[in-house]
Amino acid sequence: MFEATETFAKKLDEQDSLSKFKNEFYIKDNQIYMDGNSLGLMSKRAEEKLLNVMNAWKEFGIDGWTSGDHPWFYLSENLGEKVAKLVGAKPEEVVVTGSTTTNLHQLVATFFKPEGKRTKILADELNFPSDIYALKSQLKLHGLDPDEHLIRVKSRDGRTIHEDDIIEAMTDEVALIVLPTVLYRSGQLLDLKRVTQAANEKGIPIGWDGCHSVGAIPHDFHKIGADFAYWCHYKYMNNGPGGVAGLFVHEKHFGVEPGLSGWFGSDKQKQFDMEHDFTPADTAGAFQIGTPHVLSVAPLIGSLELFEEAGMDRLREKSLKATAYLMYLVEELLSDYNFTIGNPREDAHRGGHVCLEHKEAASICKALKDHGIIPDFRSPNVIRLAPVAFYVSFQDVYQTVLTIKKIMDDESYKTYKNERGIIA
Ligand SMILES: *Cc1c(COP(=O)(O)O)cnc(C)c1O
């Protein structure tokens, strides 16, 4: 159904109802940005809203908390309501707060209640290091040895995790499960519904790390019965470097005491009573800790407008088509150069990026950058390519693969060292 020609890529762009959104982003001339899975690009709306909030500070000073277009006091909850639509949650189940890792700490501090022989946390051996560091340190805070109490489900192929293996590991020693929705390296999308259901049936609380899916894939966190979830907003959500993250807590847990309390988790009516007895909000807002990082939230106001206009389902549909086209082109044009596609092929098991493996991945990435194509390298051999629906066209996808072919043909990648830089 695809063709490996520029004319065909152009035709796909003409049929693409989202193509107009590319203009909403700052993209350098002659650059193709395939790294939105690490840091999403700046949109004009994000810039505008950041300036708007800066201006409220300039104009209102302290009164900016309750004045201006986006009063800061309610911003985390108001944006949470909007993000809730993207992740399939009720409006009060999501709040925009913290960072991925601090939110994980908060949620584990809240939901990990070791008792009797139920003392273990179940994770997987391919998860992002920060998540694992957080889980280990939470175990230590309980006086538990991570070597014994952190179970990491093994991968059968070094790239993916089998749902059967996760479910089999849900023994009566497990007190909490934390897993990624999409694996950051291979781009595998786990069957969230099946795994969550199994955890629910065994009465084990389960939380999902949505860093690599929120903004790329619609979720149904409420309906599938996830206990909690957390994610960053600087990847597919385009909220800018270090932009404030998000968390979901299922409404069945409203009223539980946050593991890490702070005054911004208060019932908003009571917060400024300044009592020493904490009255948590009866929403996911209870899991906030301190004063929101307003300037790092502001870009999200603009970015969310774009998500509302484009629609999460349409974004996913285009992303699937673009990753499918990318895989097709790799097979058609790069079959002579020892590349392996490391991500699962089926739509239901694929995230927003393609995982291209090659022995010389680091050199190839450097050569691509010098050709104006921004990939993402993950040691030792992974090139991640994310054709983000908002700002990567089908012609960009075609151009990317054609450029890889050129680099391989003329062997120009060999002039670069095959080792990673400081970042990636
Ligand atoms: C990006 C990412 C993080 C980053 O965490 P921060 O607290 O934002 O630095 C953590 N976990 C996963 C799975 C990620 O993809």
Side-chain angles (χ1 to χ4, degrees):
M1 64 170 192
F2 290 131
E3 287 170 32
T5 64
E6 185 150 22
T7 321
F8 188 80
K10 206 166 165 186
K11 204 170 89 188
L12 290 177
D13 282 328
E14 283 161 9
Q15 295 164 354
D16 171 19
S17 64
L18 298 178
S19 60
K20 60 172 189 278
F21 283 96
K22 196 170 176 177
N23 269 328
E24 297 277 353
F25 289 82
Y26 287 106
I27 308 174
K28 278 197 186 164
D29 289 341
N30 305 318
Q31 193 173 79
I32 297 173
Y33 194 80
M34 301 294 278
D35 201 8
N37 59 323
S38 261
L39 179 69
L41 286 181
M42 190 205 279
S43 64
K44 295 170 188 172
R45 311 269 190 112
E47 181 185 44
E48 182 190 314
K49 293 298 182 185
L50 175 57
L51 293 174
N52 177 301
V53 170
M54 296 265 287
N55 205 51
W57 175 25
K58 194 194 284 178
E59 195 167 325
F60 301 111
I62 186 74
D63 287 337
W65 287 101
T66 49
S67 308
D69 299 335
H70 307 285
W72 313 327
F73 192 54
Y74 306 100
L75 202 48
S76 311
E77 288 80 5
N78 288 348
L79 293 178
E81 281 184 25
K82 294 191 169 139
V83 177
K85 286 189 202 149
L86 305 181
V87 300
K90 295 195 172 179
E92 60 284 0
E93 287 176 325
V94 175
V95 68
V96 169
T97 188
S99 72
T100 306
T101 311
T102 59
N103 288 344
L104 174 58
H105 273 294
Q106 166 69 299
L107 293 161
V108 176
T110 305
F111 290 100
F112 178 52
K113 303 252 190 269
E115 225 186 315
K117 68 187 251 201
R118 264 193 205 277
T119 56
K120 299 191 175 173
I121 298 179
L122 180 62
D124 71 281
E125 70 166 359
L126 298 180
N127 204 344
F128 196 85
S130 199
D131 297 55
I132 299 297
Y133 303 160
L135 295 178
K136 286 186 179 178
S137 68
Q138 288 286 333
L139 284 165
K140 286 191 226 166
L141 285 171
H142 283 276
L144 298 166
D145 178 2
D147 287 343
E148 193 187 331
H149 296 270
L150 179 65
I151 308 167
R152 275 172 279 181
V153 178
K154 292 234 174 317
S155 166
R156 297 182 190 185
D157 60 2
R159 301 182 176 106
T160 59
I161 300 287
H162 207 294
E163 284 88 355
D164 288 344
D165 298 341
I166 299 172
I167 293 168
E168 201 184 295
M170 295 179 187
T171 66
D172 56 8
E173 296 187 334
V174 176
L176 180 72
I177 304 167
V178 177
L179 294 166
T181 54
V182 167
L183 276 64
Y184 78 99
R185 189 185 295 265
S186 70
Q188 176 196 10
L189 167 61
L190 284 169
D191 186 339
L192 305 198
K193 187 172 166 191
R194 179 170 170 230
V195 174
T196 303
Q197 215 158 37
N200 286 346
E201 277 162 20
K202 291 170 202 280
I204 311 170
I206 181 166
W208 292 99
D209 182 324
C211 279
H212 277 275
S213 61
V214 173
I217 300 168
H219 281 304
D220 241 335
F221 287 141
H222 177 87
K223 201 153 116 202
I224 64 172
D227 293 282
F228 64 86
Y230 57 97
W231 55 86
C232 71
H233 284 134
Y234 52 75
K235 291 169 180 159
Y236 291 100
M237 293 296 299
N238 310 318
N239 184 33
V244 175
L247 65 79
F248 158 89
V249 173
H250 198 285
E251 66 178 355
K252 67 187 170 203
H253 297 300
F254 288 175
V256 308
E257 195 179 340
L260 308 174
S261 298
W263 75 318
F264 262 82
S266 296
D267 179 329
K268 288 201 124 46
Q269 297 300 322
K270 304 227 166 85
Q271 180 170 342
F272 278 86
D273 291 349
M274 307 305 253
E275 297 289 342
H276 277 190
D277 287 320
F278 176 49
T279 310
D282 56 359
T283 64
F287 299 90
Q288 297 172 89
I289 301 175
T291 306
H293 304 166
V294 174
L295 298 182
S296 292
V297 176
L300 190 62
I301 307 170
S303 179
L304 280 166
E305 284 182 8
L306 297 175
F307 275 91
E308 227 157 78
E309 288 164 29
M312 199 55 246
D313 289 330
R314 277 209 297 171
L315 288 163
R316 172 62 168 160
E317 194 186 327
K318 177 175 174 185
S319 159
L320 280 172
K321 197 166 171 183
T323 48
Y325 190 47
L326 177 50
M327 291 190 291
Y328 166 84
L329 292 172
V330 166
E331 283 176 338
E332 287 295 307
L333 302 176
L334 301 182
S335 57
D336 293 340
Y337 311 97
N338 295 313
F339 284 98
T340 308
I341 293 178
N343 54 280
R345 304 300 178 96
E346 310 81 12
D347 286 3
H349 301 294
R350 197 163 89 237
H353 72 265
V354 166
C355 164
L356 201 56
E357 298 171 358
H358 195 282
K359 246 179 33 239
E360 312 279 339
S363 321
I364 296 168
C365 283
K366 289 176 193 168
L368 272 175
K369 270 196 160 168
D370 281 345
H371 282 80
I373 293 171
I374 313 300
D376 183 81
F377 171 66
R378 280 292 171 263
S379 191
N381 66 340
V382 171
I383 304 169
R384 295 189 301 187
L385 296 170
V388 171
F390 271 127
Y391 49 75
V392 177
S393 69
F394 290 94
Q395 287 174 88
D396 291 339
V397 171
Y398 179 73
Q399 208 52 50
T400 298
V401 178
L402 213 61
T403 308
I404 298 175
K405 179 169 161 50
K406 179 183 168 333
I407 287 166
M408 302 312 289
D409 278 337
D410 66 17
E411 301 193 338
S412 57
Y413 70 91
K414 289 189 174 167
T415 60
Y416 302 85
K417 270 207 179 128
N418 191 36
E419 43 185 58
R420 69 169 170 84
I422 298 287
I423 300 207

